[in-house]
Amino acid sequence: MPTSAASLAETQQRNLLKQIALIGFVGTLSYTYLFLFVWKLKWVAAFDFVCLFAYLYFFYLSHTRKVIGNVLRYGALQFFIVHMAGICFAFLGRETGLQFYWLSLSMAVLLLTPLDRSINKYLTAALALFLFYILEFGLYDVTPLYQLEESQNKFLYFSTLTSSCLGVVLISHHVTLVLRQSHATLHHYSVTDELTELGNRRHLFEHFKLIDLSNQNAQYAVYVMDIDHFKQINDTYGHSAGDAVLKKVADSIVQCFPTDKRICRIGGEEFCVILKNSDRQETQRYAELVRHSIEQLYVYSKKQKIQCTMSIGVAMGNHELSMSETMSMADKALYIAKQTGGNRVKFNAQA
């Protein structure tokens, strides 16, 4: 079952912080090795080395913090911006192309958090774009500590562009995955009854369409069930007690049927079950099993014992009848069961 919407959002934020910290750490470690051991730029290497601990700390927080807030998530991004600013303005200058990390980061902030309207989001993106334009168009002309050779500048420039393009691709992939997961979660909640966690009426009719389109020849049974005098339970014991009864009844129905079934709550106290490949004798046995199980069911609410019964209408269907026609027949059988006293099973007249 998908997690709750709040839990899903928290998981996404935690993963996002983890990815930011991991990318920052791996990238900084690579540049530290390059600057120290290959190009012998000890001061910029020392600056990068110190920054490594900040990324490690953010990664640690992504595992230990119970809640990943906006301040923490955007704090990691803002630290990356400051980190790059230190390297570009103080050590290496604009010819390295490292400023393109700011451009890709601003895109990342806007794309990865499309529903977030906090001020931190726009401040982070604006800061990254502001620094990019200042450095890219030479609006802040300061001689850097190191003057790199042309070949070194070209290496950094093209490696930065490649990494930025790869980052955009990864961002797009991440956004696609998040949207798919969100869509699946939203669909789950749109077809699930919140109280009983069974399918709801929409789920039932989606299943009807699939069965009708499959045009299967196998015989199936449709049960329409209704708790007798449920309004009286609500009026006497309260709606919280009524909800407890509905949950217990739903659990009991699930336990009475084999795994090859579809159970939905389609109304206040009304349930529907579809059982495939079932003959009349087996269908009758399951219906009586449910009726007897509900009859023996006790629900305790505020030290009060509540008992209920259930009326069940059953119809047998096959490829000659649509699912809606079969359910209509089961509805008529349920009506007869209710009219003749309740707590009984009735088959439709054509079965």
Side-chain angles (χ1 to χ4, degrees):
M1 178 185 295
T3 55
S4 67
S7 177
L8 175 63
E10 177 61 29
T11 300
Q12 291 174 353
Q13 300 306 334
R14 187 176 303 279
N15 289 338
L16 183 56
L17 176 60
K18 193 182 301 182
Q19 290 167 11
I20 293 169
L22 189 60
I23 291 172
F25 178 82
V26 173
T28 303
L29 184 63
S30 301
Y31 279 124
T32 301
Y33 178 85
L34 175 69
F35 295 146
L36 182 61
F37 296 105
V38 181
W39 291 349
K40 310 300 181 182
L41 308 175
K42 61 179 181 179
W43 289 114
V44 66
F47 178 73
D48 267 357
F49 182 76
V50 172
C51 291
L52 283 174
F53 293 96
Y55 293 117
L56 279 176
Y57 180 65
F58 283 120
F59 189 79
Y60 168 77
L61 291 178
S62 71
H63 284 277
T64 58
R65 288 289 292 269
K66 292 183 178 179
V67 178
I68 304 300
N70 277 342
V71 174
L72 185 57
R73 186 173 72 254
Y74 288 112
L77 292 171
Q78 290 161 3
F79 177 80
F80 177 78
I81 293 174
V82 173
H83 177 197
M84 286 294 104
I87 292 177
C88 292
F89 287 110
F91 294 108
L92 302 181
R94 62 186 292 269
E95 299 302 324
T96 60
L98 292 173
Q99 62 270 21
F100 283 100
Y101 281 129
W102 289 327
L103 186 61
S104 60
L105 186 141
S106 65
M107 296 173 61
V109 170
L110 297 175
L111 286 175
L112 288 175
T113 56
L115 300 180
D116 183 7
R117 298 186 179 182
S118 69
I119 189 65
N120 277 322
K121 169 184 176 178
Y122 298 106
L123 285 177
T124 303
L127 176 62
L129 285 174
F130 176 71
L131 291 174
F132 170 77
Y133 282 114
I134 284 182
L135 203 62
E136 178 64 17
F137 297 104
L139 302 181
Y140 183 78
D141 191 14
V142 175
T143 303
L145 180 64
Y146 293 104
Q147 294 290 336
L148 298 182
E149 297 178 3
E150 184 179 358
S151 61
Q152 293 174 322
N153 279 327
K154 284 184 177 180
F155 176 82
L156 287 177
Y157 198 93
F158 287 109
S159 65
T160 302
L161 284 178
T162 302
S163 300
S164 298
C165 291
L166 181 60
V168 171
V169 172
L170 292 176
I171 290 167
S172 302
H173 179 66
H174 179 84
V175 170
T176 301
L177 291 179
V178 169
L179 289 176
R180 285 179 181 174
Q181 188 176 14
S182 300
H183 179 268
T185 303
L186 289 173
H187 180 263
H188 168 79
Y189 287 113
S190 73
V191 297
T192 302
D193 176 59
E194 183 178 1
L195 179 65
T196 63
E197 297 185 353
L198 298 175
N200 59 17
R201 194 176 190 88
R202 178 177 179 178
H203 177 80
L204 179 69
F205 282 98
E206 283 185 1
H207 189 62
F208 279 2
K209 291 179 181 178
L210 292 176
I211 292 179
D212 287 337
L213 289 173
S214 65
N215 195 26
Q216 295 176 348
N217 293 323
Q219 187 168 253
Y220 57 86
V222 175
Y223 303 77
V224 180
M225 310 174 180
D226 189 271
I227 301 174
D228 297 323
H229 312 297
F230 184 72
K231 184 178 184 301
Q232 185 177 342
I233 294 176
N234 274 335
D235 293 342
T236 304
Y237 302 102
H239 288 280
S240 60
D243 288 347
V245 170
L246 286 170
K247 290 180 182 179
K248 284 285 188 180
V249 167
D251 291 341
S252 184
I253 293 172
V254 171
Q255 293 171 9
C256 288
F257 283 95
T259 56
D260 187 22
K261 85 284 187 182
R262 185 79 56 167
I263 304 177
C264 301
R265 180 187 173 204
I266 57 175
E269 68 272 21
E270 194 170 356
F271 299 84
C272 182
V273 180
I274 302 172
L275 184 62
K276 295 181 181 179
N277 304 316
S278 179
D279 56 32
R280 169 141 186 172
Q281 183 178 359
E282 186 180 40
T283 300
Q284 177 79 32
R285 180 170 65 84
Y286 283 125
E288 287 294 344
L289 179 62
V290 172
R291 188 198 63 77
H292 180 72
S293 176
I294 302 303
E295 188 179 36
Q296 300 298 315
L297 186 67
Y298 293 97
V299 178
Y300 292 89
S301 178
K302 297 179 181 179
K303 298 182 180 180
Q304 293 178 310
K305 185 169 71 173
I306 306 171
Q307 190 174 12
C308 63
T309 59
M310 176 168 275
S311 299
I312 303 173
V314 187
M316 305 297 296
N318 53 45
H319 68 284
E320 296 178 354
L321 295 171
S322 68
M323 286 296 298
S324 58
E325 290 173 327
T326 308
M327 184 173 178
S328 178
M329 292 161 58
D331 265 328
K332 292 176 182 177
L334 173 64
Y335 177 79
I336 296 172
K338 301 287 281 188
Q339 292 297 310
T340 53
N343 191 24
R344 63 194 64 209
V345 176
K346 288 291 182 180
F347 273 76
N348 65 295
Q350 298 182 33

